[in-house]
Amino acid sequence: MKGNYSDGQFGDRGAGRKRVTASDIARVLGIHQSTVSRALGNGSVSPEKRELILKTARELGYRPNGIARGLITGKSRMIGLITSDIKNPFYPDVIERFTNALRDRGFYVLFVHSAGNDVDSDDITPFIEYHTEGVIAVAAQLSSAMVTRLTDYGFPVVLFNRYMQNARCSAVTCDNVRGGEVVAELLIGTGHRRLGYVAGDPNTSTSRDRETGFRKVLQRHSYAEPIVVPGDYTYEGGYNAALNLFQTDLPPDGIFCANDIMALGVLDAARHLGIQIPDDVSVVGFDDISLAAWKAYSLTTVRQPVSEMVEATVDRLIREIEGTAPEPEITNIPGELVMRNTVRDRGEYAT
């Protein structure tokens, strides 16, 4: 073997150490760089030469350049995650779970935060530059135009926590219609008569489906339609929605919020006004974020099956990347009612 790499040429392993490249390995072994590149990229070389090259690479402290390897193989092992909602505690937790799930499958994550509900060319540019193999859209509010832009560029796309009818991509969601039904059954079963709904973004399937399920059960029990006020999926929106609801002539005695962060705003607004929870009004959320279990809130809510949803999303995207997935489909996974202290007890409730 030609060359000598014991003289500190590749330096000490501390700060400032020169990155070892395929050219360095080739120089040490006295062979052509293309041979080293083929061996490192599972190309065509003899088993003996591959073993020698890999052994030398380990001894030199070589670390593969995933981007360069992706340019050669056409497979970057990079998955894009894009969201427009990082203020809602639900989504940072989801992004962490996706990162771990993808890492366990041998993928890297390229995260993009879109400032609005749409995606422009600047948002998509990193996915193109880094040869991203697929994209997961992790936000209820991102628009249909976003999906069109991504699919037009040829990216396999899976939507998480929302879907779009007639879209060219698959989606994985909680069974939001059934979740809304469960909340209505709970509030009716515990003796509530005047019900309100704090809606999220009306352009999202999550808010619409939760309201649809809620209304369906109210109609079945001959209840009046709920008072609906917008909350925009934010704490401030929930707080202001509650102020509006509580100032009506006949305020509701039970409120269903399309997500937990709005429900926390409703609870704080009620306390500000001196309204007792749950004696004067019951409040139910949706998601089961970590804050919902805090003693200050102890929010009754519908828990989204996040782990199952993340796994289903990753599985679907990988199958689409590999070309083994059928036509786009929507997967609904049932949620779970979590009883805490914001719904008054009127006898035993059964789901």
Side-chain angles (χ1 to χ4, degrees), residues 145 157 229 273:
V157 178
V229 290
L273 296 172

Side-chain angles (χ1 to χ4, degrees), residues 6 11 21 48 52 56 68 100-101 104 109 146 148 155 179 233 251 259 268 273 279 286 325 340:
S6 62
T21 66
E48 295 80 10
L52 175 61
T56 304
N100 293 335
D104 291 345
V109 173
M146 172 274 298
T148 300
F155 293 113
Y233 278 137
N259 73 356
D268 284 342
L273 296 172
D279 295 338
F286 206 110
R340 295 196 179 99

Side-chain angles (χ1 to χ4, degrees), residues 40-246:
L40 297 174
N42 295 320
S44 176
V45 296
S46 68
E48 295 80 10
K49 184 159 288 186
R50 184 188 308 280
E51 182 179 353
L52 175 61
I53 291 170
L54 293 178
K55 178 176 180 293
T56 304
R58 288 193 298 270
E59 290 172 346
L60 292 176
Y62 170 79
R63 298 181 64 186
N65 186 324
I67 296 173
R69 182 173 57 193
L71 293 173
I72 296 170
T73 65
K75 294 184 177 181
S76 65
R77 306 297 291 178
M78 189 82 74
I79 300 296
L81 289 181
I82 186 164
T83 187
S84 64
D85 189 0
I86 57 175
K87 293 182 180 179
N88 183 344
F90 178 73
Y91 285 104
D93 175 63
V94 165
I95 290 167
E96 180 180 5
R97 289 172 187 257
F98 268 119
T99 301
N100 293 335
L102 289 165
R103 183 183 59 199
D104 291 345
R105 306 287 188 93
F107 287 91
Y108 305 96
V109 173
L110 178 58
F111 176 70
V112 169
H113 174 243
S114 176
N117 293 345
D118 205 349
V119 173
D120 58 30
S121 57
D122 290 338
D123 294 323
I124 295 174
T125 296
F127 296 154
I128 299 170
E129 290 181 345
Y130 290 96
H131 294 257
T132 301
E133 294 192 47
V135 176
I136 298 171
V138 188
Q141 293 99 323
L142 287 174
S143 72
S144 57
M146 172 274 298
V147 177
T148 300
R149 284 191 177 91
L150 290 170
T151 54
D152 283 349
Y153 274 99
F155 293 113
V157 178
V158 178
L159 304 182
F160 177 87
N161 198 35
R162 75 162 296 182
Y163 66 88
M164 295 188 309
Q165 297 289 358
N166 304 316
R168 291 178 290 168
C169 62
S170 294
V172 176
T173 75
C174 179
D175 189 341
N176 292 302
V177 172
R178 180 56 191 153
E181 292 174 345
V182 167
V183 174
E185 291 164 0
L186 168 63
L187 293 175
I188 291 172
T190 47
H192 297 80
R193 297 300 306 176
R194 301 182 309 279
L195 301 179
Y197 179 69
V198 180
D201 186 333
N203 295 317
T204 63
S205 60
T206 50
S207 184
R208 291 196 307 269
D209 284 357
R210 291 165 193 176
E211 182 177 352
T212 294
F214 192 60
R215 285 178 176 274
K216 185 187 299 184
V217 172
L218 298 189
Q219 291 170 359
R220 190 163 67 234
H221 288 267
S222 301
Y223 266 58
E225 290 189 354
I227 305 170
V228 178
V229 290
D232 198 33
Y233 278 137
T234 66
Y235 172 88
E236 295 80 8
Y239 191 99
N240 291 328
L243 296 181
N244 290 330
L245 285 171
F246 295 144

Side-chain angles (χ1 to χ4, degrees), residues 289-303:
I289 61 176
S290 59
L291 285 169
W294 286 17
K295 289 183 178 180
Y297 294 111
S298 192
L299 176 68
T300 294
T301 186
V302 176
R303 176 181 294 154

